[in-house]
Amino acid sequence: MKKIALLLFPILLASCGQGNQTATAVLEPMNVMSFNIRYDNPEDSLNNWQYRKDRAANAIRFYDADIVGTQEVLHNQLQDLQQRLPEYGVIGVGREDGKEKGEYSALWYKKERFEVLDSGTFWLSETPEVPGSKGWDGACERVASWAKLKDKISGKECLALNTHLDHVGVVARREGISLILDKVKELGNGMPVVVTGDFNSTPESDVINHITNPEGPEHLTDARTVSPVVYGPAWSFHDFGSIPYEHRPLIDYVFVGNGVKVLKYGVLAETENEAFLSDHAPVLVTVE
């Protein structure tokens, strides 16, 4: 019996070693994208959505995005992306009625990788739970859609939130981001967090400083500022190439918090035969 036990002991050790290697291997990085796809505007001529929808979907798939925060998504565009990206689930509602009317800040996730534990949408207004409510001096209704996701590979949980701040209202942007930071703290309860969006604010603005100020107890980190690898230009909005290169602003972001480590950051300012993905360049960040 002792001989059998001695023979089995190295096998058990080897099995335990393999198990540890497997546990380490499953902690795979995660690709997070922020992508303002530009609403389906008939006046966009050859830049209209009908000519871009296949490219937009292919870019998401090619860059193997695990989580994608999209902005300016009308319901027909949501359906187009669902048809082209069946491997993704989506969370969000139309901002005008909480159903299908108006733009979505739609949050996409790989169904094979994530289990949705909880999700929802709130309005950036004084009454965030009221569908269609417009906040402060905002020109439009604005929303944030979020999900608590469990990574099926690692078992880890994280909070993902996606938004689009107002393009006119100064107070709406300031108060909107304060509300978002409060909600991230409330919903995330200390779990790792990624926040994507079009913030209509440049890096030196009060809005972005409010988000990233390390003295703020709810602050988040701009992934670009801590990434060891930064690829692409320092801008994200180009208006289908009409803005002179030196005047193009960076207004699209991925923010991280609560222990999320940034590995790579890129702005995907690519074209296909001079045709654009959108009037914004997507931002892609690899984290763990």
Side-chain angles (χ1 to χ4, degrees), residues 33 83 107 112 124 150 153 164 170 176 184 247 274 287:
M33 179 183 283
Q83 291 170 3
L107 181 66
E112 186 178 62
L124 305 186
K150 182 176 181 179
I153 299 174
H164 188 181
V170 174
V184 165
H247 296 304
E274 299 184 355
V287 302

Side-chain angles (χ1 to χ4, degrees), residues 153-164:
I153 299 174
S154 68
K156 300 288 186 181
E157 297 177 8
C158 71
L159 174 69
L161 183 145
N162 178 55
T163 194
H164 188 181

Side-chain angles (χ1 to χ4, degrees), residues 71-168:
Q71 302 89 39
E72 294 196 22
V73 186
L74 296 179
H75 189 68
N76 68 294
Q77 293 175 290
L78 186 86
Q79 292 177 314
D80 287 339
L81 290 175
Q82 285 178 308
Q83 291 170 3
R84 287 159 178 77
L85 300 169
E87 68 270 37
Y88 287 85
V90 63
I91 291 158
V93 295
R95 68 189 187 187
E96 292 182 28
D97 64 355
K99 298 176 182 177
E100 299 178 355
K101 187 178 179 182
E103 296 176 8
Y104 294 61
S105 287
L107 181 66
W108 306 76
Y109 62 93
K110 275 188 181 174
K111 292 186 285 189
E112 186 178 62
R113 178 157 188 179
F114 297 105
E115 174 189 354
V116 179
L117 303 177
D118 196 6
S119 65
T121 295
F122 59 89
W123 275 255
L124 305 186
S125 74
E126 296 93 330
T127 53
E129 306 308 322
V130 177
S133 56
K134 191 184 298 185
W136 304 283
D137 58 348
C140 305
E141 304 86 353
R142 299 290 179 176
V143 295
S145 293
W146 58 271
K148 294 180 184 178
L149 301 172
K150 182 176 181 179
D151 190 335
K152 296 178 183 179
I153 299 174
S154 68
K156 300 288 186 181
E157 297 177 8
C158 71
L159 174 69
L161 183 145
N162 178 55
T163 194
H164 188 181
L165 296 188
D166 201 71
H167 64 300
V168 173

Side-chain angles (χ1 to χ4, degrees), residues 201-222:
S201 306
T202 55
E204 69 279 1
S205 68
D206 291 341
V207 171
I208 303 305
N209 287 331
H210 180 40
I211 299 169
T212 60
N213 184 355
E215 295 182 4
E218 302 168 357
H219 79 278
L220 300 171
T221 300
D222 178 0

Side-chain angles (χ1 to χ4, degrees), residues 223-231 261-265 285-287:
R224 183 184 181 93
T225 65
V226 294
S227 179
V229 178
V230 175
Y231 172 79
K261 181 180 180 182
V262 179
L263 304 179
K264 292 188 293 185
Y265 170 99
V285 177
T286 302
V287 302

